[in-house]
Amino acid sequence: MRSKLIAYVIAALIVAELLLVLISWFLSSLMVDGVRSLLSSEGIRWFFGQFTDMILSPVLGWLLLLAVSTGVFRQSGLLTRPSTYRERMNRMLTLLVLLLYCGVILLLTSIPHAILLSPTGALFPSPFSRALVPIIALGILVVSLVYGISVRVFTSVVDVCQAMSQGISWWSPVLLLYVFFMQLYESVCFVFF
């Protein structure tokens, strides 16, 4: 059901992009002020020359980091109910690592003149606020790795890399949706702004 919905949304974004191409051409032929055509030489050069820049943003990096970390999280077995004494003890170890990680982040943001605060001492905007999603993704990754290694779900680097790849595979519809959405958004900005 989810993949069908994403497919329909992507199809709607493609149709909207095609309509935008036609509308931009029509409005620019009527010489409406401030409208640039995507079918003009300038529009075609912009589209092909800026396509990579259109989809590159921090959001893409965040999506990839979350995909990798959730893949390791799902494969680690943290979602399953612990059935053995060893798994319960490793949950406690994982909780300890999570608390330690949160403590380190707290120290990097809460003490006076902390490294992740802005020069004025504010938390928002600051390096911390710009790196909030990567900090969360790294926390999920570290906790999942600790648990997965301790219960021997991950026995080699290959297992960890496969879990990361599996996460990207699960998130691939969202990544595809992001590409088409950003293409439409940047095209609207080019035509009207």
Side-chain angles (χ1 to χ4, degrees):
M1 182 68 180
R2 179 178 160 237
S3 59
K4 268 188 175 181
L5 177 64
I6 289 177
Y8 288 139
V9 172
I10 289 173
L13 289 172
I14 291 170
V15 168
E17 180 75 26
L18 293 173
L19 284 173
L20 180 64
V21 168
L22 293 174
I23 290 169
S24 71
W25 169 76
F26 180 71
L27 291 177
S28 68
S29 68
L30 293 176
M31 296 186 182
V32 174
D33 287 338
V35 175
R36 295 187 283 184
S37 172
L38 286 168
L39 289 177
S40 68
S41 59
E42 175 193 20
I44 293 170
R45 276 194 305 273
W46 171 82
F47 188 81
F48 285 102
Q50 298 296 320
F51 188 80
T52 304
D53 294 333
M54 281 189 240
I55 60 174
L56 289 180
S57 75
V59 176
L60 180 61
W62 297 344
L63 288 174
L64 288 172
L65 287 174
L66 288 172
V68 165
S69 62
T70 55
V72 174
F73 179 74
R74 285 180 70 177
Q75 294 289 358
S76 71
L78 266 170
L79 293 176
T80 61
R81 187 169 184 208
S83 60
T84 65
Y85 175 76
R86 178 185 178 139
E87 288 177 354
R88 286 191 297 275
M89 292 310 295
N90 287 326
R91 295 266 171 135
M92 296 301 288
L93 172 68
T94 303
L95 181 62
L96 182 66
V97 169
L98 177 63
L99 291 174
L100 181 66
Y101 182 78
C102 290
V104 168
I105 298 300
L106 190 64
L107 286 174
L108 290 173
T109 57
S110 63
I111 60 174
H113 308 292
I115 294 172
L116 293 180
L117 293 178
S118 70
T120 61
L123 197 56
F124 294 98
S126 68
F128 170 76
S129 64
R130 287 192 303 274
L132 187 59
V133 174
I135 288 170
I136 292 169
L138 180 63
I140 293 169
L141 184 68
V142 167
V143 166
S144 302
L145 281 175
V146 166
Y147 184 75
I149 291 169
S150 64
V151 295
R152 295 192 177 111
V153 171
F154 303 130
T155 57
S156 68
V157 176
V158 174
D159 294 337
V160 175
C161 290
Q162 286 176 342
M164 291 177 177
S165 299
Q166 188 68 35
I168 292 174
S169 174
W170 289 323
W171 279 64
S172 61
V174 175
L175 295 171
L176 192 59
L177 183 65
Y178 167 81
V179 168
F180 283 104
F181 175 78
M182 287 307 294
Q183 176 184 339
L184 178 63
Y185 171 76
E186 291 291 334
S187 295
V188 167
C189 290
F190 173 80
V191 169
F192 296 109
F193 306 109

